[in-house]
């Protein structure tokens, strides 16, 4: 059955799109037109603009396009959403927002103590891993997925905890702690380890975990989060099996595998970037040593000639 039966609003989330467009406009107004009104502001870099816009586009694709609707219909698509929402969007937005804006935001009296506390690397790592695993406990997951307000709050907490986790890895704010070299590798590997048990339980389970993807009544309650009530009441739906050839267990296992594979792919990209950064720094250091050695030899030759 085609998902077009749910209507334009459920498929494309126009209000959500309008909010993201408004945020993007405010971003460019703040970083270009209103920049001179702020002390210590700096010109917007092309790289920052590209990263921010990429993050906003990806955020709409996974939470506003038909992908979001599919994430409520089948579990495997939900895990695709989680992977991109928590592992790719946060670093894009952190790197896309100029450092001077981050500095002003973090230095707000209410924000500063909380931000410095929750971005402590070990706390951020453990907190993110625990929040992700706790959310995917079947009892918690089903309860959250059937409440619009609770679903929004929990997704907000997940996203903020992901921001805290990624901050020590990708932030460029002067004076803020940032991992380098092997420490960054260990930090990324740590999350991979923490997320493995939750993914493994989902992958190797022989029975459905989540009522919101296996029980028709619970599934319809969850669908009400993204489909207007009037539209949903007019449709004669019995469950997600109308939209996929996979059984509930197959869909669940696929979701666990997809999450783990996408997680490893994202981490592989960042690990490659860490290695590239380390290699570039080594080359720069070698060039500096060579230049200093040449300069020292010239000085020695000069002194010998004058002697």
């Amino acid at each position: 059955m085609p998902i077009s039966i749910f209507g334009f609003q459920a498929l494309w989330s126009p209000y959500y799109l309008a909010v993201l467009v408004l945020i993007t406009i405010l971003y460019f107004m703040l970083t270009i037109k209103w920049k001179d009104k702020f002390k210590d502001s700096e010109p917007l870099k092309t790289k920052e603009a590209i990263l921010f816009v990429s993050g906003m586009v990806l955020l709409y694709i996974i939470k506003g396009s038909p992908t979001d609707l599919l994430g409520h219909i089948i579990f495997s698509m939900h895990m695709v959403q989680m992977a991109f929402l928590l592992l790719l969007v946060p670093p894009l937005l952190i790197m896309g927002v100029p450092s001077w804006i981050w500095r002003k935001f973090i230095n707000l009296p209410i924000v500063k103590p909380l931000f410095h506390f929750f971005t402590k690397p070990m706390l951020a790592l453990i907190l993110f891993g625990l929040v992700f695993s706790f959310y995917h406990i079947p009892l918690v997951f089903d309860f959250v997925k059937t409440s619009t307000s609770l679903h929004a709050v929990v997704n907000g907490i997940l996203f903020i905890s992901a921001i805290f986790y990624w901050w020590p890895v990708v932030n460029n704010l002067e004076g803020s702690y940032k991992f380098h070299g092997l420490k960054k590798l260990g930090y990324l590997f740590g999350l991979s380890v923490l997320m493995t048990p939750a993914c493994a339980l989902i992958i190797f389970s022989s029975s459905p975990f989540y009522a919101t993807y296996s029980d028709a009544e619970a599934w319809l309650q969850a669908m009400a989060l993204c489909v207007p009530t009037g539209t949903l009441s007019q449709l004669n739906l019995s469950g997600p099996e109308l939209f996929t050839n996979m059984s509930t267990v197959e869909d669940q296992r696929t979701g666990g595998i997809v999450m783990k594979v996408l997680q490893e792919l994202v981490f592989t990209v960042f690990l490659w970037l860490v290695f590239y950064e380390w290699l570039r720094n080594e080359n720069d250091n070698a060039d500096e040593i060579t230049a200093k050695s040449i300069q020292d030899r010239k000085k020695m030759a000069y002194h010998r000639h004058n002697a």
Side-chain angles (χ1 to χ4, degrees):
M1 184 176 292
I3 61 173
S4 58
I5 62 170
F6 293 105
F8 178 81
Q9 184 173 333
L11 285 169
W12 298 106
S13 306
Y15 298 116
Y16 184 73
L17 175 61
V19 170
L20 294 186
V21 169
L22 178 60
I23 292 173
T24 304
I25 292 172
L26 289 174
Y27 168 84
F28 283 107
M29 294 290 285
L30 184 62
T31 55
I32 297 176
K33 187 172 182 179
W34 300 335
K35 173 180 66 66
D36 295 335
K37 296 181 180 180
F38 297 92
K39 186 180 178 181
D40 302 325
S41 63
E42 299 171 358
L44 179 65
K45 299 175 183 175
T46 303
K47 179 181 177 181
E48 291 172 337
I50 293 173
L51 288 170
F52 183 84
V53 172
S54 297
M56 297 302 285
V57 170
L58 186 57
L59 192 55
Y60 174 71
I61 291 172
I62 60 179
K63 294 296 289 183
S65 75
T67 303
D68 184 53
L69 178 61
L70 286 170
H72 285 80
I73 295 175
I74 55 177
F75 181 75
S76 51
M77 188 55 69
H78 161 78
M79 293 304 268
V80 171
Q81 281 185 288
M82 288 289 100
F84 284 103
L85 178 66
L86 304 178
L87 301 178
L88 198 53
V89 174
L92 288 175
L93 296 183
I94 291 173
M95 293 185 290
V97 174
S99 295
W100 68 270
I101 296 180
W102 277 117
R103 187 182 304 110
K104 291 186 178 300
F105 173 71
I106 293 171
N107 285 334
L108 292 173
I110 299 177
V111 175
K112 190 172 184 178
L114 293 174
F115 198 89
H116 283 301
F117 178 75
F118 284 107
T119 53
K120 291 179 179 178
M122 289 308 298
L123 178 61
L125 170 63
I126 295 172
L127 178 66
F128 181 41
L130 288 178
V131 170
F132 175 83
S133 298
F134 182 75
Y135 173 56
H136 286 94
I137 294 174
L139 187 64
V140 175
F141 186 87
D142 288 334
F143 185 64
V144 169
K145 288 282 282 185
T146 53
S147 168
T148 303
S149 56
L150 192 57
H151 185 260
V153 169
V154 170
N155 272 267
I157 292 173
L158 272 167
F159 189 74
I160 292 172
S161 69
I163 292 285
F164 291 152
Y165 168 78
W166 282 105
W167 182 260
V169 179
V170 298
N171 88 85
N172 293 312
L173 183 61
E174 185 178 351
S176 184
Y177 183 80
K178 182 178 179 179
F179 278 122
H180 295 282
L182 291 176
K183 289 184 178 180
K184 188 181 288 188
L185 296 178
Y187 187 70
L188 291 171
F189 180 73
L191 182 62
S192 179
V193 172
L194 284 177
M195 295 179 74
T196 296
C199 291
L201 286 174
I202 293 171
I203 293 170
F204 295 108
S205 173
S206 58
S207 59
F209 272 175
Y210 305 108
T212 44
Y213 290 101
S214 59
D215 179 78
E217 185 177 348
W219 179 75
L220 285 171
Q221 283 184 300
M223 288 295 295
L225 269 65
C226 63
V227 181
T229 305
T231 302
L232 198 60
S233 62
Q234 295 173 9
L235 302 174
N236 185 23
L237 301 174
S238 59
E241 68 277 357
L242 297 174
F243 303 91
T244 177
N245 293 324
M246 292 186 291
S247 67
T248 305
V249 173
E250 289 174 335
D251 177 39
Q252 183 174 288
R253 288 175 176 171
T254 301
I257 293 170
V258 164
M259 182 65 190
K260 193 61 183 171
V261 170
L262 289 177
Q263 172 202 320
E264 296 300 333
L265 286 175
V266 171
F267 284 177
T268 298
V269 171
F270 276 94
L271 291 177
W272 183 87
L273 292 174
V274 170
F275 176 76
Y276 175 76
E277 180 184 17
W278 172 81
L279 188 62
R280 186 179 61 184
N281 290 336
E282 287 293 312
N283 290 336
D284 290 343
N285 291 336
D287 291 341
E288 289 178 8
I289 292 172
T290 302
K292 188 176 185 302
S293 176
I294 293 173
Q295 188 177 12
D296 289 342
R297 286 199 297 269
K298 287 181 178 179
K299 287 181 179 180
M300 290 175 64
Y302 174 80
H303 289 310
R304 283 198 300 267
H305 176 73
N306 289 339

